[in-house]
Every structure is written in C-alpha cells, then in structure tokens.
Amino acid sequence: MGQVFENTPLARRQWTGLDDEHLASIGFVNFAWNALERKFASLVWVTAGWTQDVGEMVIASMGNVSLAMLFMNLLKRELRAREDRQLWDQGAQTGILFDAIRDARNDMIHSFFFSDPTSGIEGHFKPSVRKSKTGQAELRTVAMAQGDIDDMCFAISDCFESIDDLILKFWFRRRFLEAPAQAYEQAVHGWQDPPFDLGRLQIYPAKRSQGLRPRQGHHHPPGSTPGERRRVAGDRGQAAGEKD
C-alpha cells in the first residue's frame, strides 16, 4: 500500500487543493511573518528602553502574552514624559496591523482543505466558535487565494517599514525630550520627507474586518511607488465592495 501523504505534486494538490507555486507562496508568508514577529519584538524592547539582552530575556519568558498589547502599554508609559499624539497614532495603528496579520497568518496555517463533489462544497476552512450566547461551533472559510497572500505580503512590508520608522522616532524623541516644541517636532517627525504614510497601516485591517477579499489581476501603474501601489489596491478593494 502506498503512503497516504506522499510528497509528490499530485499528492500535494490532492490534500491542499493548491498547486506547488501557491504552496510556496504560503511558505514564504510564514517565513515573512516570523521575521516580522522578530522585528516587532525589537520594537517592544526599544519602546521599554531595555537593552537588547534584557529585552530578549523578557520577551522569551512571556509565554502567550500579546506582543501588541505589551507594546501599547509600554508606549503609554513612554508618552507620560511628553505627550505626542502622532507617535501614539502610528504606534496604535502599527499594533493593530501586526495583530491583523497575525490573525490572518494563523487562519492560513491552521486551515484545512475540504472537497465534497456530491454537495459541491470545496474550500479551505477553519473551526471557530460563534460569538453568541450558545457559543456554537462553526466552520468558516479562510481566504487562501494568491491575491490574499500577496495582500498579506504588502501588509507585512508596511508593518516592517513603520516599525523601523518608530524605532528611529524613539531615538530622536529621547534626545529631544526637553527641547522646545518646534525642535522636537522637527527632530522626531521631520527626520524624513515625506513622513511615513499612516494610511498604509489601515488598508489591511480594514479589508479584513469588512470581509473583503483582495481582487486578483490588478496591474499597477508603471513607476508607482510600493506605497502608492498598495493605496491604489486598497481604493480598488473599497470601490469593489461598494459596487457589490
């Protein structure tokens, strides 16, 4: 008798419903998520003002505590020394985006493929508990199209860039904490021109919360920047949702 899970293209397609290129994209997203999680952990210990040795030790011993929640609590503490609404908004939206990517990645990794030719049901599903008094279990579909994976990669890239920007802003902030308002603003929020576009952080969580699936086959205008391409994709997704 042959093995049930033979590592062949046909077996991989049978058990996942996906071709090898699609499966490779999922593997890439998983590696990208691991890198993002590592990057976000560094943001946590920078926000806390810990050395890397201390930060690594604290985070490694945290267990299942939410990194995003820890970051937000540390950011609140940091801003007591001097209020900074722009820094708070960017930090909060970065945390929200990080959690949205984490949720989507977990859905993708923990889903299973089901195909029933007799009923015509086919797709990728994940068990969940309905938010009601009964707590009834249900199966919900998981977005697994190549466009969904591409969208997650764009979101990971945006989150990476925002974290790098925040780390530098913390560095400048702590050196200009006692400076006059204009000097502080210029140092912390004017270090790059144009400044980081917070709108990029809102695209993916909005799509995910509205249940909009990324549209496939979009062609980005030549010469457009990555940020502009993602904003165009977000606008198209919103317009498609309104049209539907």
Side-chain angles (χ1 to χ4, degrees):
M1 178 182 292
Q3 295 181 352
V4 176
F5 287 100
E6 290 181 311
N7 191 18
T8 64
L10 180 61
R12 291 192 290 269
R13 183 62 182 252
Q14 177 184 355
W15 286 100
T16 67
L18 305 171
D19 59 33
D20 279 359
E21 184 177 357
H22 205 145
L23 286 171
S25 295
I26 293 175
F28 173 71
V29 165
N30 200 41
F31 275 102
W33 161 253
N34 290 340
L36 178 62
E37 192 172 32
R38 172 72 183 173
K39 173 71 78 171
F40 197 89
S42 72
L43 175 63
V44 169
W45 55 259
V46 167
T47 306
W50 300 326
T51 64
Q52 181 170 359
D53 289 345
V54 172
E56 299 282 14
M57 185 181 302
V58 171
I59 291 171
S61 61
M62 276 176 34
N64 293 325
V65 178
S66 166
L67 276 179
M69 183 63 69
L70 176 60
F71 166 65
M72 294 307 299
N73 290 336
L74 292 169
L75 180 58
K76 288 178 184 177
R77 188 185 71 177
E78 165 67 29
L79 295 180
R80 289 175 191 164
R82 180 168 186 161
E83 185 179 353
D84 189 325
R85 185 67 193 183
Q86 295 180 68
L87 198 57
W88 169 258
D89 288 344
Q90 183 174 352
Q93 291 177 27
T94 301
I96 291 170
L97 176 58
F98 177 80
D99 266 351
I101 296 169
R102 176 181 57 79
D103 287 344
R105 179 264 179 191
N106 287 345
D107 281 352
M108 183 179 67
I109 294 300
H110 297 293
S111 67
F112 62 91
F113 177 66
F114 177 74
S115 179
D116 182 0
T118 62
S119 63
I121 297 175
E122 180 174 304
H124 295 86
F125 302 91
K126 182 185 176 186
S128 63
V129 177
R130 185 178 302 168
K131 295 182 179 179
S132 66
K133 294 181 179 179
T134 62
Q136 183 179 354
E138 63 180 352
L139 292 179
R140 58 184 176 85
T141 56
V142 175
M144 291 284 280
Q146 186 65 52
D148 299 316
I149 296 171
D150 291 344
D151 223 39
M152 199 186 308
C153 287
F154 287 142
I156 290 172
S157 179
D158 287 335
C159 200
F160 250 97
E161 289 185 42
S162 183
I163 290 171
D164 283 336
D165 185 63
L166 283 168
I167 288 173
L168 282 169
K169 284 176 177 175
F170 282 126
W171 191 88
F172 286 116
R173 169 185 168 81
R174 286 163 182 163
R175 282 152 183 78
F176 286 81
L177 196 59
E178 305 299 329
Q182 185 174 357
Y184 174 89
E185 289 291 325
Q186 181 60 34
V188 177
H189 298 289
W191 76 270
Q192 66 170 341
D193 185 27
F196 184 85
D197 178 10
L198 298 191
R200 292 166 57 186
L201 303 176
Q202 300 170 341
I203 295 172
Y204 191 72
K207 277 189 175 183
R208 188 159 169 77
S209 65
Q210 294 170 8
L212 294 177
R213 300 188 62 172
R215 303 294 195 246
Q216 298 186 54
H218 288 330
H219 298 284
H220 302 302
S224 59
T225 66
E228 290 169 343
R229 290 197 296 267
R230 285 187 280 277
R231 286 193 292 276
V232 168
D235 293 340
R236 284 174 173 169
Q238 183 177 4
E242 292 171 354
K243 185 176 180 180
D244 292 340

